[in-house]
Amino acid sequence: MSALSFLAEPARRNVAVLAAGQALFHCTQTMAIATTPLAALAILGPEHAIAATVPIFLAHFGLMCTTLPAALLMGRIGRKPGFSLGATVGIAGGIVSFFGIWYQSFILLCVGGFLQGTAAAFAWHYRFAATDVADQNFKAKAISLVMAGGVVAGIAGPQMAKWSVDALPYMFAGVYLTVAACAAAMLLLMQLIQIPTPAKTDTGAGGRPMAEIMRQPAFIAAVTASMIGYAIMTLVMSATPLAMKGCGFSFADSATVIQVHVLAMFVPSFFTGNLINRFGVKTIVVAGACIEILCAATNLMGVSIWHFAIANLFVGLGWNFCYVGGTALLTTTYRPEERAKVQGTHDFLVYATTALAAGTSGTLQAQAGWATLNIVAIPALLFMLAVIAWYALQPTGKTAAAA
């Protein structure tokens, strides 16, 4: 299929636009991940290192608080207005964080982090939006292709952070202006998507009660895969810049490791959808959990830059399999009129868990150490494997999406 014929189809044209938006979104996320813990540490001083991941925690907390309202709002007003609102909040988050650095205000840096998390609650729905007008056979691939937009972020995000970190008199200030610029580009790009405004039956109020939907084995497995896969990635990733600084590595070194990590998160998205279609979602999620266990094992083996890089590669790849797999499985658990509330509930549970992981990472790193932080990850991943094994033993039948 040629590029022109691909873009001529509405579902595929949306995928291309949303993938570009995903690239910009993850550029902002990558710059924040590489910069914010170190920026907070620079403001607070080493004696308050335990609080250095608080702005990252607040980003995840903002994501958690906003994800369900964002889903329900877009269920009423449509994807384009919702994504435009999210990008606008992202611009504000970058600017507030910039002033936090300029005035050396930890409070403003925290507020900026919360706003960036609020913006992310909208942007994380790009993957769901790709399935809104896609047929059943294209859904897993559409999710995977949109997530593949993060490959650009893996290359560009850390480089932009390196180029802008010393661009202004205060270290890190230029990074947050770059974050705001990327969010502005997202705002312009979202005007190009073509997704119909949802019918009144798709506002999140229709369909079965959430308690009934959540009792489905497929829902339990999907949420568990997404929650734990994402939480372990957040736990390790949030603490990596601090651990590397403690080992004497530079900002450029930690930005390079984050670059490897983000590429590992999103390069597989070019083929994860095809792997799911070929081997099944359960197999892919199990592979993701095992790869994240390899991340913890690698971090326990040493603290050279190669250990950090390889471990972050593993946790990025494992996250991709768990998160894309969980998202694809989730699409089988709801009917059209239930879409908004199920997607919002899924993301609320996932980001509540990642907020806890982000908040815990700084404490574990400062108080218990890097080794303990990685040991904690292993029982959680074993629990995920147990849930997927339980789901595999359930009788198969007609999915909710096909009902």
Side-chain angles (χ1 to χ4, degrees):
M1 179 182 291
S2 69
L4 288 177
S5 60
F6 182 92
L7 294 176
E9 300 179 37
R12 287 162 171 77
R13 184 168 59 248
N14 285 332
V15 165
V17 173
L18 291 165
Q22 189 86 351
L24 289 166
F25 163 57
H26 281 292
C27 279
T28 69
Q29 296 286 288
T30 303
M31 286 186 279
I33 291 162
T35 302
T36 300
L38 299 178
L41 190 65
I43 293 173
L44 294 171
E47 66 274 16
H48 299 294
I50 195 171
T53 59
V54 168
I56 291 288
F57 159 73
L58 288 172
H60 286 277
F61 184 69
L63 180 56
M64 179 194 75
C65 291
T66 312
T67 188
L68 186 55
L72 297 178
L73 178 65
M74 286 189 284
R76 292 182 178 274
I77 67 174
R79 296 295 194 186
K80 183 185 293 186
F83 290 154
S84 298
L85 174 61
T88 303
V89 175
I91 296 170
I95 292 172
V96 171
S97 295
F98 161 77
F99 282 114
I101 298 297
W102 197 262
Y103 292 110
Q104 292 293 283
S105 169
F106 182 68
I107 298 298
L108 285 178
L109 194 64
C110 288
V111 172
F114 182 86
L115 290 173
Q116 290 166 35
T118 299
F122 289 89
W124 272 117
H125 280 268
Y126 290 170
R127 74 196 195 281
F128 287 131
T131 71
D132 286 354
V133 291
D135 60 47
Q136 191 63 38
N137 292 331
F138 187 57
K139 283 188 176 183
K141 190 171 183 180
I143 294 168
S144 186
L145 288 172
V146 169
M147 297 295 286
V151 173
V152 176
I155 298 169
Q159 289 301 325
M160 287 191 286
K162 291 177 187 177
W163 293 334
S164 58
V165 64
D166 294 315
L168 295 172
Y170 287 100
M171 188 177 185
F172 305 118
V175 177
Y176 292 108
L177 282 187
T178 309
V179 167
C182 287
M186 289 165 60
L187 176 60
L188 295 175
L189 192 62
M190 286 305 107
Q191 309 316 305
L192 301 178
I193 61 171
Q194 296 181 349
I195 299 174
T197 301
K200 291 183 179 179
T201 56
D202 193 29
T203 61
R208 298 164 294 168
M210 271 307 303
E212 179 182 343
I213 296 169
M214 293 173 72
R215 286 196 294 269
Q216 296 175 100
F219 182 93
I220 295 169
V223 170
T224 301
S226 297
M227 283 174 58
I228 296 180
Y230 206 147
I232 297 306
M233 188 267 285
T234 301
L235 183 74
V236 174
M237 180 184 62
S238 298
T240 290
L242 297 174
M244 292 188 69
K245 183 177 178 61
C247 293
F249 293 105
S250 67
F251 175 78
D253 291 330
S254 61
T256 298
V257 167
I258 294 299
Q259 186 171 42
V260 171
H261 168 73
V262 176
L263 285 170
M265 287 173 66
F266 296 111
V267 167
S269 291
F270 287 111
F271 51 80
T272 306
N274 289 331
L275 290 175
I276 290 171
N277 289 334
R278 181 173 180 181
F279 297 107
V281 70
K282 295 187 289 291
T283 301
I284 298 306
V285 170
V286 167
C290 292
I291 292 168
E292 289 200 351
I293 290 172
L294 286 176
C295 160
T298 302
N299 277 329
L300 291 170
M301 291 178 185
V303 290
S304 73
I305 192 166
W306 287 106
H307 286 97
F308 283 114
I310 293 170
N312 272 268
L313 184 151
F314 281 145
V315 80
L317 176 59
W319 170 87
N320 182 282
F321 283 4
C322 292
Y323 196 65
V324 175
T327 299
L329 183 58
L330 186 76
T331 64
T332 70
T333 67
Y334 55 79
R335 301 164 185 164
E337 67 273 17
E338 300 163 348
R339 178 176 60 192
K341 66 183 179 183
V342 174
Q343 292 174 356
T345 300
H346 168 272
D347 282 4
F348 172 82
L349 293 171
V350 170
Y351 301 135
T353 309
T354 60
L356 177 63
T360 304
S361 64
T363 302
L364 281 174
Q365 172 61 25
Q367 299 295 321
W370 182 237
T372 300
L373 183 146
N374 282 277
I375 290 170
V376 165
I378 296 174
L381 292 164
L382 293 176
F383 174 76
M384 186 212 297
L385 290 172
V387 171
I388 300 303
W390 165 80
Y391 169 62
L393 296 174
Q394 302 303 305
T396 59
K398 185 168 62 174
T399 65

